[in-house]
């Protein structure tokens, strides 16, 4: 087969150019990424060898080779290797699932934040071009005799051809930039500098990292070439599993570097959680809470590096979903069990009692750590909530691990001020006689704060919470309670308003009868029968003429939108139009209808009231052009 030349995709070329020519605070991290990839390849081979013994490799290792004369640095492993198709897929396309999003983030960010973006988008291999003007990858898939050479100068193209390789695995050779062009990076042609970087970032890798170097037989300045021994491999990392070491033996920096190794994130974690299970079986865990959400956190096809499962230090899976509920999918770390069978399948893992115990421990420890952050480091926790709050709230809906501890973690803005509040803090501020926790859902916080539904609550000094994430429509529809107080939507029909201060009558009772208003309601029920379920007099409005509410048992607009986005058929749910009988516009319309209910102005103004109520809550008109014409006609008449 002849060598083929390929071009990166247009967006990929732009991305690669930005990466190579952008400023990074620490270019040395490229070596950690290459070693992490090599370690992953060894893990995959080890796992596949559990069921296919022909793939078993003796002496699994990573080797670094420095050639000072040629100015090259090679990182090689005897892991799983890649086929030709896998090399095109893995090396020829950068951030396949999110290149556009990555480019937007990269171009908008400043130089200091760019390293974090690189880690979030999983393109660590391409950081090689920060120190190299040419990269060559030779790989041979385990179980195959064919090897291939991938080569690129970071110019938007790469070549792919046949190669020879004595053993399975992959070698990445960096042709280092000229010394004068390598500003900010140690001299990578010096073995001791490479060893320093490895000890700093990859000392905990579970496989031996060997440095190949020449050693003189005689330690003398007059030693001749013939006095030099053959090259010798020397292990330069400790290889001790960090989760097996005593906490006092591990520095914060070592923990952070281990997190970066397993997560491919360039920023430090916010917190870590260690746990140990003893008794009928033994297991240890070391978990980390990231500070930033990855770009594909909400993608159904996301390939995450979550919680790695080891059994007796043997790698099994790099994302053991059975150990972590979906709403904690942002957690990174390692779990090492002693007694789980090595040949477990995915189904057996899900039914294994020991796995359920580990999962329960993980949920308990992570929620406790998040609770501690919320209590003791509120600012840090609020930043975390901004990143992962929508994910955590999925635990109130989908997960069998659902419990009140998740509700304890919920933060929301409210009418109390600009600060976020917990449900416990809300309950502590509740008015005397208030039995319900009031909330309003909307896609926009700004629109929620301006909603006419708030008017009666503001008049009584009642606090209302705002929820704006898609998942809120789901979990809040399940009649959640917190400390025996039910969470109730203020745009629903079953909201209870306490008696207003100084008022002798219950504000939940219908306003005093008014024949003209009652007649108007009857007329509008007929005029708006295609749009609304009913037209009623309202006790929740003070300034606005009308609002829409969801009748008890009906689907909310937010739920309808969520289901529609997910591709499910959604029947149209008619809502209830409530009118403010004290508003001048409603009173004048009542007089107009009383004089002549067939006056075309009655039906026109009815449509205007409905459209105004819909727009005020951020809804969409079914016929914007017709509504605009009604407004124009009203202006002409005025």
């Amino acid at each position: 087969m002849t060598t083929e030349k390929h071009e990166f995709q247009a967006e990929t070329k732009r991305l690669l150019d930005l990466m190579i020519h952008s400023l990074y605070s620490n270019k040395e991290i490229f070596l950690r990424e290459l070693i992490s990839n090599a370690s992953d390849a060894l893990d995959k081979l080890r796992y596949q060898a559990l069921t296919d013994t022909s793939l078993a490799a003796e002496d699994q290792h990573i080797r670094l080779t420095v050639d000072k004369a040629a100015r090259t640095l090679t990182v090689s492993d005897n892991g799983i290797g890649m086929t030709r198709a896998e090399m095109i897929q893995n090396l020829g396309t950068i951030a396949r699932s999110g290149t556009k999003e990555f480019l937007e983030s990269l171009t908008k960010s400043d130089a200091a934040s760019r390293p974090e973006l690189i880690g979030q988008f999983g393109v660590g291999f391409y950081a090689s071009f920060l120190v190299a003007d040419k990269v060559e990858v030779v790989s041979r898939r385990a179980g195959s005799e064919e090897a291939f050479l991938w080569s690129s100068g970071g110019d938007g193209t790469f070549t792919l051809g046949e190669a020879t390789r004595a053993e399975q695995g992959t070698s990445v050779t960096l042709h280092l930039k000229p010394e004068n062009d390598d500003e900010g990076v140690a001299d990578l042609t010096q073995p001791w500098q490479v060893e320093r970087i490895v000890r700093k970032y990859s000392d905990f890798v579970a496989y031996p990292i060997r440095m190949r170097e020449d050693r003189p037989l005689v330690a003398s300045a007059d030693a001749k070439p013939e006095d030099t021994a053959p090259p010798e491999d020397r292990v330069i990392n400790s290889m001790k599993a960090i989760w097996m070491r005593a906490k006092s033996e591990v520095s914060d920096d070592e923990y952070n570097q281990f997190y970066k190794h397993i997560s491919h994130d360039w920023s430090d974690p916010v917190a870590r959680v260690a746990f140990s299970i003893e008794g009928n079986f033994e297991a240890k865990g070391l978990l980390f809470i990231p500070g930033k959400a990855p770009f594909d956190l909400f993608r159904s096809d996301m390939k995450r590096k979550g919680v790695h499962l080891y059994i007796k230090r043997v790698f099994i899976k790099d994302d053991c979903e059975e150990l972590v509920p979906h709403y904690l999918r942002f957690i990174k770390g390692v779990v090492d069990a002693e007694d789980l069978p090595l040949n477990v399948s995915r189904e057996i893992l899900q039914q294994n009692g020991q796995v359920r115990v580990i999962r329960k421990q993980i949920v308990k420890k992570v929620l406790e750590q998040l609770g501690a952050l919320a209590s003791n480091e509120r600012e840090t926790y609020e930043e975390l909530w901004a990143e992962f709050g929508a994910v955590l709230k999925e635990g109130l809906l989908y997960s069998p691990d659902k419990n009140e501890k998740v509700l304890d973690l919920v933060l929301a803005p409210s009418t109390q001020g600009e600060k976020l509040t917990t449900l416990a803090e809300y309950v502590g501020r509740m008015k005397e006689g208030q039995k319900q926790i009031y909330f309003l859902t909307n896609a926009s916080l700004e629109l929620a704060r301006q909603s006419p539904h708030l008017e009666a609550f503001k008049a009584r000094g009642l606090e209302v919470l705002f929820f704006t994430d898609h998942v809120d429509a789901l979990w809040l529809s399940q009649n959640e309670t917190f400390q025996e107080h039910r969470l109730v939507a203020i745009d629903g029909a079953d909201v209870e308003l306490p008696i207003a201060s100084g008022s002798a009558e219950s504000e939940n009772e219908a306003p005093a009868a008014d024949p003209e208003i009652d007649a108007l309601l009857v007329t509008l029920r007929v005029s708006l029968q295609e749009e609304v379920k009913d037209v009623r007099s309202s006790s929740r409005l003070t300034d606005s003429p009308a609002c829409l509410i969801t009748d008890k048992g009906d689907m909310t607009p937010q739920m309808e939108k969520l289901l529609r986005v997910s591709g499910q058929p959604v029947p149209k749910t008619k809502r209830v139009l409530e009118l403010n009988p004290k508003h001048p516009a409603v009173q004048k319309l009542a007089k107009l209808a009383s004089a002549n209910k067939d006056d075309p102005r009655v039906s026109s103004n009815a449509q205007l009231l409905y459209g105004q109520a819909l727009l005020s809550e951020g809804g969409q008109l079914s016929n914007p052009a017709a509504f605009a014409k009604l407004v124009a006609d009203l202006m002409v008449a005025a």
Side-chain angles (χ1 to χ4, degrees), residues 553-565:
D554 286 347
M555 190 179 298
T556 65
Q558 292 75 24
M559 180 71 80
E560 280 189 34
K561 183 178 180 181
L562 186 62
L563 294 176
R564 197 172 288 114
V565 168

Side-chain angles (χ1 to χ4, degrees), residues 61-331:
H61 64 275
I62 300 168
R63 176 177 285 114
L64 307 181
T65 305
V66 175
D67 188 330
K68 187 170 185 177
R71 284 192 64 78
T72 62
L73 170 62
T74 300
V75 180
S76 61
D77 64 74
N78 58 345
I80 194 67
M82 290 179 283
T83 63
R84 177 182 178 277
E86 287 171 336
M87 293 182 78
I88 293 176
Q89 180 180 1
N90 297 336
L91 304 180
T93 310
I94 305 176
R96 279 177 299 148
S97 61
T99 307
K100 287 184 178 179
E101 294 91 338
F102 178 77
L103 283 169
E104 291 174 359
S105 300
L106 188 62
T107 53
K108 292 177 182 178
S109 64
D110 57 27
S113 66
R114 286 172 181 162
E116 295 181 5
L117 288 171
I118 295 299
Q120 289 179 51
F121 282 78
V123 290
F125 166 77
Y126 301 94
S128 303
F129 289 104
L130 298 173
V131 298
D133 50 25
K134 182 181 180 181
V135 178
E136 293 178 324
V137 181
V138 177
S139 191
R140 174 181 158 187
R141 178 75 179 188
S144 172
E145 298 298 323
E146 293 183 312
F148 300 93
L149 168 64
W150 181 97
S151 178
S152 176
D155 57 356
T157 64
F158 65 90
T159 60
L160 186 65
E162 293 179 343
T164 57
R165 181 178 168 86
E167 63 176 355
Q168 65 195 29
T170 302
S171 297
V172 180
T173 300
L174 310 182
H175 293 262
L176 302 172
K177 294 178 180 179
E179 191 171 354
N180 294 336
D181 294 342
D182 228 4
E183 186 177 350
V185 181
D187 185 357
L188 298 173
T189 63
Q190 298 292 334
W192 71 270
Q193 288 281 22
V194 176
E195 181 176 347
R196 175 188 61 80
I197 296 172
V198 170
R199 288 190 178 278
K200 180 177 181 181
Y201 295 109
S202 305
D203 189 57
F204 40 74
V205 172
Y207 301 97
I209 301 175
R210 296 171 179 161
M211 172 77 76
R212 175 161 289 184
E213 59 183 17
D214 295 329
R215 297 179 59 132
L217 290 173
V218 181
S220 169
D222 300 326
K224 298 177 182 179
E226 56 266 27
D227 296 327
T228 301
E232 180 178 302
D233 285 343
R234 182 168 56 86
V235 177
I236 59 175
N237 65 318
S238 70
M239 292 184 293
K240 188 171 182 180
I242 196 170
W243 60 90
M244 301 298 294
R245 296 161 61 182
K247 183 178 179 182
S248 59
E249 297 177 0
V250 186
S251 67
D252 288 342
D253 184 62
E254 287 178 300
Y255 278 124
N256 291 342
Q257 294 308 324
F258 176 71
Y259 162 77
K260 293 173 184 178
H261 165 68
I262 61 173
S263 67
H264 296 273
D265 186 355
W266 289 52
S267 56
D268 291 337
V270 170
R272 62 177 180 267
V273 178
F275 67 88
S276 179
I277 299 175
E278 298 178 352
N280 295 332
F281 73 100
E282 295 182 3
K284 289 183 179 292
L286 178 60
L287 309 174
F288 298 90
I289 301 175
K292 294 289 183 180
F295 78 103
D296 57 354
L297 183 63
F298 292 98
R299 291 182 64 98
S300 59
D301 60 346
M302 68 176 288
K303 294 181 180 180
R304 49 190 173 133
K305 296 280 186 180
V307 174
H308 298 211
L309 174 64
Y310 284 77
I311 298 176
K312 296 180 179 179
R313 266 63 68 202
V314 176
F315 170 79
I316 301 298
K317 299 179 72 174
D318 64 359
D319 181 27
C320 191
E321 298 178 10
E322 296 84 0
L323 292 177
V324 183
H326 195 61
Y327 70 94
L328 294 180
R329 60 185 177 272
F330 56 90
I331 297 298

Side-chain angles (χ1 to χ4, degrees), residues 261-499:
H261 165 68
I262 61 173
S263 67
H264 296 273
D265 186 355
W266 289 52
S267 56
D268 291 337
V270 170
R272 62 177 180 267
V273 178
F275 67 88
S276 179
I277 299 175
E278 298 178 352
N280 295 332
F281 73 100
E282 295 182 3
K284 289 183 179 292
L286 178 60
L287 309 174
F288 298 90
I289 301 175
K292 294 289 183 180
F295 78 103
D296 57 354
L297 183 63
F298 292 98
R299 291 182 64 98
S300 59
D301 60 346
M302 68 176 288
K303 294 181 180 180
R304 49 190 173 133
K305 296 280 186 180
V307 174
H308 298 211
L309 174 64
Y310 284 77
I311 298 176
K312 296 180 179 179
R313 266 63 68 202
V314 176
F315 170 79
I316 301 298
K317 299 179 72 174
D318 64 359
D319 181 27
C320 191
E321 298 178 10
E322 296 84 0
L323 292 177
V324 183
H326 195 61
Y327 70 94
L328 294 180
R329 60 185 177 272
F330 56 90
I331 297 298
K332 312 294 181 182
V334 169
V335 170
D336 191 350
E338 291 292 329
D339 302 319
L340 290 175
L342 285 177
N343 59 345
V344 290
S345 67
R346 185 183 182 93
E347 290 75 24
I348 294 175
L349 266 179
Q350 289 176 332
Q351 299 171 10
N352 188 282
Q354 296 177 8
V355 171
R356 288 194 291 270
V357 172
I358 297 173
R359 177 187 174 106
K360 186 176 181 180
Q361 185 76 347
I362 288 176
V363 171
K364 176 176 179 289
K365 291 291 185 178
V366 171
L367 294 185
E368 284 179 354
Q369 179 62 55
L370 290 172
L373 288 173
S375 299
N376 305 322
E377 301 179 46
R378 184 58 174 265
E379 185 175 344
T380 298
Y381 180 71
E382 289 187 5
E383 293 173 358
L384 268 180
W385 183 258
E387 298 289 329
F388 304 113
V391 180
L392 277 169
K393 285 185 286 190
E394 291 177 11
L396 297 168
L397 183 68
Y398 302 120
S399 176
D401 305 294
K402 171 185 169 182
N403 53 50
E404 274 217 6
K405 287 191 176 180
V406 179
L407 269 178
D408 289 337
L409 296 172
V410 170
L411 289 181
S414 78
T415 52
Q416 185 73 11
E418 296 299 321
K419 292 184 178 180
L420 299 179
T421 184
T422 66
L423 295 179
E425 291 166 347
Y426 177 99
V427 170
R429 296 190 294 262
M430 285 173 58
K431 297 288 185 181
E432 184 178 353
Q434 181 180 344
K435 299 177 181 178
Q436 298 176 334
I437 297 174
Y438 304 120
F439 72 85
L440 179 64
T441 57
N442 199 297
S444 164
L445 178 59
E446 183 179 358
L447 285 175
R449 289 191 180 278
Q450 299 173 3
S451 171
H453 297 99
L454 294 172
E455 293 173 1
F457 295 86
K458 288 181 177 179
R460 295 161 178 77
L462 296 172
E463 184 176 1
V464 178
L465 301 173
F466 300 119
F467 291 101
T468 58
D469 291 321
H470 290 310
V471 70
D472 292 327
L474 294 171
W475 72 270
L476 286 167
S477 67
Q478 296 186 330
N479 295 319
E480 287 285 354
T481 61
F482 180 81
Q483 296 182 3
E484 300 182 355
H485 298 285
R486 192 162 68 92
L487 278 74
V488 177
I490 65 170
D491 58 350
D494 57 345
V495 64
E496 297 176 4
L497 289 173
I499 298 173

